[in-house]
Amino acid sequence: ITVRARAGVAVGNSLLFVTAGVAKPEVEHTWIEIDDETDSWPTFKNSQIGIVAGFGVEHRFGQPFSFKGEYLFLNA
């Protein structure tokens, strides 16, 4: 889950923007190696609140359609 604000500059039908906010990721990872349990990892869970920031571009293709691509960095 992220809650972010974004601000940017419109260039024609495109919006170049930066974004920042808070995030609460929910990550769970387990590694089980068959026939070698000494090399297995226990279940790891992480759900700390952290910050998220990034940048991107959104381009409008006509009135109801747009395409958005963005890069996000999460530190939790």
Side-chain angles (χ1 to χ4, degrees):
I1 297 172
T2 65
V3 177
R4 297 178 283 143
R6 72 177 179 173
V9 175
V11 179
N13 285 341
S14 297
L15 174 67
L16 307 172
F17 64 89
V18 294
T19 183
V22 295
K24 187 175 188 307
E26 301 230 357
V27 177
E28 183 175 325
H29 179 78
T30 303
W31 176 273
I32 299 173
E33 192 165 320
I34 306 296
D35 296 330
D36 188 7
E37 293 188 24
T38 60
D39 196 26
S40 298
W41 301 343
T43 299
F44 170 76
K45 294 181 181 180
N46 183 8
S47 62
Q48 298 177 354
I49 294 177
I51 61 168
V52 62
F55 59 90
V57 61
E58 184 170 0
H59 184 78
R60 184 175 66 177
F61 297 101
Q63 188 61 25
F65 300 105
S66 69
F67 177 80
K68 177 174 69 171
E70 64 183 2
Y71 171 81
L72 294 175
F73 170 77
L74 171 65
N75 184 10

